[in-house]
C-alpha cells in the first residue's frame, strides 16, 4: 500500500514575535562590553558572529545585506557599539524589538511617534522574520533558511501565542512529528514514522531529546520523558531525519532541542504571566510564571531567574480510588553569565522541575466517558535537576572553543495495573519505585572561523548514564484466591543497576567552490558499552509456592561510524536547493531475560545483547521566499532505509520477552510548508504531512515470535497530518493592537501496534489497533500594549474526545484523548 510522505513546516514564529511585543525605537546603548574578535568580511557573517557571541537573535533579510562588507571588530564592545561598528557605512541600523531580539533595517525607515500606531520599521521587516531565525542545528550559528536539512523552529513568542506549555502541546504543531503520551511525563516522539513502539521499550527511543546540551531520556527502559514547562524558552528546534553525525545515538528519526533563554548583561528585564482556564466537566487550570534578568556587574556579570507553578484540575476519574489526573508542578531556572576577559565567557545554569500527577491520563470507554478503575493511582511523577556549564573561548582567526558539561538527576516511579493472570482472577500491579537515573555529558567543540568559503566543526563527546530501579510486580489477593498461604504477594522483586557510556569524535565541513554552490559532509566515530546487573532477583514460583532467587549479569559493547554528505545550490539569496544523505543510529544493549532463559529449546535462544540499528536518509529539498518574503515555500522529499531494526520479540516456550535485530523498514515522503502575509496585519500558514512508513521484511528464525509482519505500517505512522493558523492584527490607537488567532490541526489514524502484537489480539482488546483520527481547534483574542498583554482563549473548541491513543490494560481497553474544551485568559506584564 503506497502512502506518500510529507512533513510540514511552519516558521511564522518570529513574525508573531515582532507583532506581539512593543518595539523599542532604538537599540539600547547601556549593554555591558564584552570581548569580540571578528575578522573583516561579509556583513552577514559579522552579524551571525555577533549573534553567537552575545546570545541575542539578530534578524535580517539576506537581500538587505547582500554584497555588503563589515570591518573587523577587535576589542571590547557593548552590543550597541558592536552593531554600530558592523553597520558603519551600510545605510542600515539596528532596532531592538524585544529583550533578546534585534532587527536590522534600512535607516530610511523612520520610527513613528509613540502613540501613532505600529512602528513602520517593524512592519517593513515583519515580512522576512519567518526565514531569519538564527539556529545552531548544525552546531554553528546559521540562518534557518540556509540550513540544508528539514528543520522547524518555535520561538518563545510562537509557543506563547499557541498556548504551548509542554511537550504534549508543540508535538501537534510541527511537521512530521508525532508525540504519543499514555501518561504525563512519559511521551514518545516519532519523526518521519520511525518507530516500533509508541509506549516505550527497553530499547533507546528513536528521537533524541535535548535540554540545551543534555539528552533527557535514558537509553534503556526509558520510563520517563519529563514534560518540561516551556516558559521563557529561547526556542525549540526540531531536526527531521537522522542526526547521528552531530547529535549521536537515538537520532534515528531526528532530534528535538529545547534551548533556554540566557542572561543578558545589557538590559534589565522582568516578566510575569498568569493563565487561568476552566475545563469542561472538570475544574480550574492555574499557571503562574515569573522571570527576572539582572545585570550584576558592569561589563561582566548577569543573572536570570525563572520560576513557575502549575495547579491543573484533572478530567479522568478513577472510580475505585476517587482520584483523577490532576497535577501540581513547580520548577525554575537560575542562570549566570560571566565574562571575565576579552575572549572568555562562562555560562552556568541550574534547572529543576517537580511534577506530581495524581493519577493516569487513560480511561476505559466501558465505564463511561473519562472514567477508569484501578487499584493503584497510575500517575507518573517526575523530579528532574539539571546542571550545565558552558565555557566559550575565542581564538581570533582560528576558531571558538566550547566546553559543555552537564549533569542531570531524575527520579520517577511507575505504577500500572496490568491485565493480570486472568486464569487466577487477580490483577497484576507494577510498582517500580524509585526509578533513578543520572547522566553526565561532556563535549568539547571547535567551531572554525569562516575563511576562504570554508567552515568547519570538530569535537569529541562523552556520555555516561546510570540507572537504579527497585523493580516489583505484585499480585494482590492471590493467596485468598488460591486459598493457600504464600510467602509473598510479589511475583517478581529485584534491584536493577544499569550503566551505559558513549565516546565519540566527530567533524563536519562545509566548502563553497563558488558563490552558488556549497558542499558539506561529516562523520562520527562512536564506541558504546552497556553493563546490566541484578544481584538478587526474587521470583515466586506459582507451582511450588516458593520464592526462587537468581542473579543476572549481561554486558555489551559496540562501535561504528555515522556520516552525512550533501550539496546545496543558491541561485538567488532567497532560494536554496539541497540534496543530502545522512545516517542515524541507536546503541546496542542487553537482554535481561537472557540469563534467566535456562535450557532454551533448539532455535529459541535469547541473545545476550543486540546490535545498533541504523537509518539512512536520502533527501532533496527547497527553501525559498517570494514576493519580498511575503510567501515562504519549503519542500522536501525523502526516502529512509531502516536496517537491522531493534524489535520486541518473545519465545513461545515460556513467554519470555526480549529485543533482537530483525528486518528492514522503509519510510518515504514529501513535505510541504507554506506561510504567507498577504495583507498588512494578516498572516497564515499551512503544513501538510503525507507519510508511508512500513515493514518490508522480518526474519526472526523458526522458533521466535514478533508481532511485526511484512507490510505492517509502523506504529504511530499517520498517513496525513495537517496544521495551520490564521492571525490578524490591527491598531486601536495609543500604541495598542488587537489580535485574533485561529489554530487547527488534523492528525490521521495510525496503528498502535503491529498486526500480530499481543495488544492487537489481547482478549477484550480492540478489533483494530488503530489510534483514531482527530482534529483540534483553538481560538485566541487579545490586546497588546506597552508593558502588558491580555488574551482570551478557547482550547479544543469542538470538545473532541476522539480516542487518539489506544492501549490494553486491566482486563479491557484504555484510551487517551485531548483535554476537554478549556476556556481561559492570560495576562502578561513585562519590563
Amino acid at each position: 500500500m503506497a502512502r506518500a510522505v510529507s512533513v510540514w513546516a511552519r516558521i511564522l514564529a518570529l513574525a508573531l514575535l515582532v507583532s506581539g511585543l512593543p518595539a523599542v525605537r532604538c537599540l539600547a546603548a547601556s549593554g555591558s562590553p564584552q570581548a569580540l574578535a571578528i575578522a573583516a568580511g561579509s556583513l552577514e557573517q559579522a552579524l551571525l558572529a555577533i549573534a553567537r557571541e552575545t546570545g541575542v537573535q539578530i534578524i535580517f533579510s539576506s537581500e538587505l545585506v547582500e554584497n555588503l562588507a563589515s570591518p573587523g571588530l577587535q576589542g571590547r564592545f557593548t552590543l550597541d557599539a558592536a552593531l554600530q561598528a558592523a553597520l558603519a557605512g551600510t545605510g542600515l541600523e539596528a532596532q531592538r524589538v524585544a529583550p533578546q531580539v534585534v532587527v536590522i533595517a534600512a535607516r530610511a525607515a523612520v520610527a513613528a511617534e509613540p502613540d501613532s500606531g505600529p512602528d513602520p520599521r517593524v512592519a517593513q521587516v515583519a515580512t522576512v522574520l519567518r526565514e531569519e531565525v538564527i539556529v545552531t542545528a548544525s552546531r554553528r550559528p546559521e540562518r534557518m533558511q540556509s540550513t540544508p536539512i528539514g528543520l522547524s523552529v518555535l520561538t518563545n513568542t510562537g509557543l506563547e501565542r499557541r498556548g504551548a506549555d509542554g511537550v504534549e502541546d508543540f508535538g501537534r504543531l510541527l511537521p512530521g512529528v508525532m508525540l504519543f503520551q499514555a501518561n504525563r511525563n512519559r511521551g514518545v516522539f516519532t519523526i518521519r514514522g520511525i518507530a516500533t513502539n509508541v509506549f516505550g521499550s527497553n530499547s533507546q527511543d528513536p528521537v533524541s531529546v535535548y535540554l540545551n546540551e543534555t539528552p533527557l531520556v535514558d537509553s534503556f527502559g526509558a520510563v520517563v520523558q519529563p514534560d518540561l514547562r516551556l516558559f521563557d524558552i529561547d526556542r525549540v528546534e526540531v531536526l527531521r531525519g537522522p542526526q547521528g553525525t552531530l547529535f549521536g545515538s537515538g537520532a534515528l528519526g531526528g532530534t528535538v532541542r529545547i534551548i533556554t533563554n540566557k542572561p543578558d548583561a545589557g538590559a534589565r528585564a522582568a516578566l510575569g504571566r498568569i493563565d487561568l482556564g476552566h475545563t469542561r466537566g472538570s475544574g480550574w487550570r492555574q499557571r503562574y510564571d515569573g522571570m527576572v534578568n539582572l545585570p550584576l556587574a558592569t561589563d561582566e556579570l548577569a543573572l536570570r531567574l525563572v520560576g513557575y507553578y502549575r495547579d491543573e484540575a484533572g478530567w479522568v476519574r478513577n472510580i475505585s480510588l476517587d482520584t483523577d489526573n490532576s497535577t501540581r508542578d513547580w520548577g525554575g531556572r537560575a542562570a549566570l553569565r560571566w565574562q571575565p576577559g576579552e575572549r572568555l565567557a562562562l555560562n552556568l545554569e541550574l534547572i529543576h522541575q517537580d511534577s506530581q500527577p495524581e493519577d493516569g491520563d487513560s480511561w476505559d470507554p466501558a465505564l463511561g466517558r473519562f472514567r477508569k478503575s484501578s487499584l493503584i493511582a497510575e500517575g507518573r511523577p517526575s523530579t528532574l535537576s539539571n546542571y550545565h556549564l558552558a565555557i566559550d573561548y575565542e581564538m581570533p582567526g582560528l576558531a571558538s572553543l566550547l566546553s559543555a558539561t552537564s549533569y542531570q538527576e531524575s527520579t520517577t516511579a511507575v505504577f500500572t495495573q496490568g491485565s493480570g493472570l486472568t486464569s487466577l482472577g487477580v490483577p497484576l500491579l507494577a510498582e517500580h519505585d524509585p526509578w533513578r537515573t543520572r547522566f553526565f555529558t561532556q563535549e568539547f567543540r571547535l567551531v572554525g572561523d569562516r575563511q576562504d568559503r570554508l567552515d568547519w566543526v570538530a569535537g569529541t563527546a562523552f556520555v555516561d548514564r546510570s540507572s537504579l530501579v527497585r523493580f516489583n510486580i505484585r499480585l494482590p489477593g492471590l493467596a485468598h484466591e488460591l486459598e493457600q498461604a504464600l510467602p509473598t504477594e510479589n511475583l517478581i522483586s529485584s534491584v536493577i543497576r544499569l550503566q551505559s557510556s558513549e565516546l565519540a569524535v566527530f567533524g563536519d565541513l562545509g566548502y563553497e567552490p563558488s558563490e552558488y554552490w556549497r558542499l558539506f559532509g561529516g562523520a562520527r566515530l562512536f564506541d558504546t558499552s552497556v553493563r546490566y546487573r541484578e544481584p538478587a532477583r526474587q521470583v515466586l514460583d506459582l507451582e511450588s509456592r516458593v520464592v526462587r532467587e537468581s542473579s543476572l549479569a549481561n554486558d555489551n559493547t559496540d562501535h561504528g561510524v555515522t556520516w552525512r554528505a550533501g550539496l546545496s545550490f543558491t541561485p538567488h539569496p532567497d532560494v536554496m536547493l539541497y540534496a543530502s544523505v545522512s545516517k542515524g543510529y541507536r546503541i546496542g544493549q542487553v537482554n535481561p531475560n537472557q540469563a534467566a532463559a535456562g535450557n532454551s529449546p533448539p532455535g529459541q535462544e535469547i541473545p545476550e545483547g543486540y546490535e545498533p540499528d541504523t537509518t539512512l536518509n536520502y533527501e532533496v529539498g527547497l527553501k525559498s521566499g517570494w514576493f519580498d518574503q511575503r510567501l515562504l515555500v519549503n519542500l522536501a522529499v525523502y526516502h529512509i532505509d531502516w536496517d537491522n531494526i531493534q524489535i520486541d520479540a518473545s519465545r513461545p516456550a515460556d513467554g519470555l520477552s526480549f529485543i533482537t535485530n530483525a528486518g528492514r523498514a522503509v519510510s518515504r515522503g514529501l513535505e510541504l510548508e507554506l506561510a504567507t502575509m498577504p495583507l498588512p496585519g494578516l498572516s497564515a500558514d499551512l503544513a501538510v504531512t503525507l507519510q508511508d512508513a512500513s515493514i518490508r521484511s522480518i526474519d526472526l528464525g523458526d522458533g521466535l515470535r514478533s508481532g511485526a509482519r511484512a507490510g505492517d505500517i509502523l506504529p504511530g505512522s499517520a498517513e496525513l497530518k495537517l496544521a495551520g493558523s490564521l492571525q490578524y492584527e490591527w491598531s486601536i490607537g495609543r500604541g495598542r493592537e488587537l489580535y485574533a488567532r485561529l489554530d487547527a490541526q488534523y492528525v490521521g489514524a495510525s496503528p498502535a501496534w503491529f498486526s500480530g502484537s499481543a495488544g492487537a489480539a489481547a482478549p477484550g482488546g480492540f478489533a483494530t489497533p488503530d489510534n483514531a483520527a482527530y482534529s483540534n481547534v483553538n481560538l485566541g483574542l487579545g490586546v497588546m500594549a506597552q508593558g502588558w498583554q491580555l488574551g482570551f482563549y478557547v482550547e479544543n473548541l469542538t470538545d473532541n474526545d476522539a480516542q487518539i491513543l489506544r492501549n490494553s490494560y486491566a482486563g479491557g481497553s484504555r484510551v487517551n484523548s485531548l483535554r476537554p474544551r478549556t476556556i481561559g485568559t492570560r495576562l502578561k506584564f513585562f519590563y
Side-chain angles (χ1 to χ4, degrees), residues 556-583:
N556 194 18
T557 61
D558 224 311
H559 62 275
V561 178
T562 59
W563 53 273
R564 74 171 193 144
L567 76 162
S568 63
F569 174 58
T570 309
H572 183 276
D574 297 323
V575 178
M576 181 187 72
L577 298 99
Y578 69 90
S580 66
V581 183
S582 58
K583 188 175 183 180

Side-chain angles (χ1 to χ4, degrees), residues 172 279-280 315 369-370 743 745 774-779 793-802 817-823:
R172 289 188 296 272
T279 299
R280 180 176 181 266
W315 67 95
R369 189 173 187 251
F370 303 142
D743 286 279
Q745 307 98 39
Y774 70 97
S775 60
N776 181 52
V777 180
N778 299 330
L779 296 178
Y793 62 84
V794 182
E795 296 177 357
N796 191 6
L797 174 69
T798 63
D799 202 27
N800 191 327
D801 62 355
S817 54
L818 297 173
R819 187 183 188 97
R821 183 189 300 121
T822 300
I823 301 174

Side-chain angles (χ1 to χ4, degrees), residues 156-170:
N156 184 52
T157 299
L159 292 165
E160 286 188 359
R161 283 294 183 87
R162 292 162 174 84
D165 189 58
V167 295
E168 82 278 13
D169 294 320
F170 74 71

